[in-house]
């Protein structure tokens, strides 16, 4: 399985500001994903980060709010823009590696917006 | 859209007890995944199931792929304190194989 790191691990931000979260994988992977986990809730897919093209967003998530970059096969960033307290969540990077459908997750970025 | 329903939502058990939880859907899944999330961590893949009827073990954990393809079960034998956490079932959705998650079963062990 791939080893995934995320930075920062946590942050407290003021409303109206933006935060960029980085995801680094120790090997080249085809598929990278960003998930959100609101407090006490399950994981919701935000978007698929595509290398060399625009990210594919899920219903309810838009590029202006959550711009994503994927410059190569080992790295991606997710920006949470113009933050509000409702954006307080854990943001998780995930990749598929090895057998089909088996996804692996980074440790998450815990974001609190005040 | 497709949904995964997990039960129970939470469990309070004594150390040493066996645990059973399940995941159901109104639609067929061709793969079932079970994850565990510890507090402050990302989910960790425990078991992947690929065939109806398949029974797979990982240490004290055993998971089964239901023969109807609409359900899966996870059992934990002789629970220990480090089993505390949230257990999620997951599977690829029909339209694009992206992985979706159930709401989780929260396991608590009573002192």
């Amino acid at each position: 399985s791939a080893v995934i790191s995320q930075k920062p691990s946590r942050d407290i931000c003021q409303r109206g500001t933006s935060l960029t979260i980085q995801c680094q994988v120790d090997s080249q992977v085809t598929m990278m994903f960003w998930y959100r986990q609101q407090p006490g809730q399950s994981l919701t897919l935000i978007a698929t980060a595509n290398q060399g093209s625009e990210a594919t967003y899920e219903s309810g998530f838009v590029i202006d709010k959550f711009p994503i970059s994927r410059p190569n096969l080992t790295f991606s960033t997710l920006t949470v823009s113009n933050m509000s307290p409702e954006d307080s969540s854990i943001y998780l990077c995930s990749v598929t590696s090895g057998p089909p459908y088996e996804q692996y997750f980074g440790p998450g970025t815990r974001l609190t917006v005040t | 859209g497709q949904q995964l329903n997990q039960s129970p939502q939470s469990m309070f058990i004594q150390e040493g007890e066996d645990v059973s939880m399940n995941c159901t859907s109104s639609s067929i899944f061709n793969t079932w995944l079970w994850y565990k999330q510890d507090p402050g961590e990302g989910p960790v893949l425990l078991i992947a199931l690929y065939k109806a009827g398949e029974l797979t073990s990982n240490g004290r954990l055993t998971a089964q792929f239901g023969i109807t393809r609409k359900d899966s079960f996870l059992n934990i034998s002789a629970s220990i304190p480090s089993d505390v956490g949230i257990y999620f079932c997951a599977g690829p959705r029909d339209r694009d194989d992206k992985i979706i998650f159930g709401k989780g079963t929260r396991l608590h062990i009573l002192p």
Side-chain angles (χ1 to χ4, degrees):
Chain A
S1 64
V3 177
I4 306 165
S5 59
Q6 286 185 233
K7 286 197 287 191
S9 58
R10 58 177 62 230
D11 208 340
I12 301 173
C13 300
Q14 299 224 337
R15 71 171 67 212
T17 63
S18 298
L19 176 72
T20 295
I21 302 167
Q22 298 179 5
C23 176
Q24 180 73 55
V25 189
D26 70 340
S27 58
Q28 293 187 341
V29 293
T30 306
M31 305 294 284
M32 293 182 78
F33 308 92
W34 287 98
Y35 283 80
R36 181 175 73 182
Q37 187 176 27
Q38 293 177 302
Q41 301 298 313
S42 185
L43 286 77
T44 301
L45 181 62
I46 297 171
T48 303
N50 301 310
Q51 197 263 331
S53 63
E54 206 168 88
T56 306
Y57 288 84
E58 295 294 303
S59 175
F61 297 96
V62 294
I63 188 170
D64 290 346
K65 176 68 176 177
F66 297 102
I68 288 170
S69 78
R70 175 112 190 253
N72 56 52
L73 293 175
T74 63
F75 185 79
S76 177
T77 66
L78 169 75
T79 298
V80 186
S81 304
N82 188 24
M83 288 184 283
S84 67
E86 292 70 36
D87 295 320
S88 297
S89 295
I90 300 172
Y91 292 86
L92 294 149
C93 173
S94 174
V95 305
T96 50
S97 176
Y101 307 122
E102 292 186 16
Q103 267 183 232
Y104 298 89
F105 286 83
T109 296
R110 186 178 295 272
L111 171 62
T112 303
V113 183
T114 60
Chain B
Q2 286 176 287
Q3 285 189 321
L4 293 170
N5 304 304
Q6 287 189 247
S7 65
Q9 287 187 345
S10 63
M11 305 180 73
F12 292 82
I13 63 167
Q14 300 278 354
E15 184 177 347
E17 283 186 23
D18 296 343
V19 173
S20 289
M21 61 187 77
N22 67 36
C23 186
T24 61
S25 176
S26 58
S27 57
I28 288 172
F29 278 79
N30 291 314
T31 298
W32 290 90
L33 307 166
W34 284 94
Y35 287 85
K36 182 192 177 208
Q37 186 176 30
D38 290 328
E41 303 289 330
V44 173
L45 182 62
L46 299 173
I47 293 177
L49 301 161
Y50 291 102
K51 201 162 67 169
E54 180 181 353
L55 189 71
T56 298
S57 293
N58 178 2
R60 293 178 296 104
L61 278 62
T62 301
Q64 183 160 24
F65 191 142
I67 57 173
T68 67
R69 298 189 175 187
K70 293 183 178 181
D71 57 10
S72 179
F73 305 87
L74 177 68
N75 296 317
I76 305 172
S77 63
S79 58
I80 60 177
S82 61
D83 291 333
V84 166
I86 306 174
Y87 292 81
F88 291 102
C89 66
R93 64 190 181 195
D94 281 343
R95 57 186 169 93
D96 59 8
D97 284 346
K98 302 287 173 65
I99 303 299
I100 59 173
F101 286 77
K103 294 187 185 302
T105 292
R106 285 155 179 77
L107 180 63
H108 307 268
I109 296 185
L110 299 168

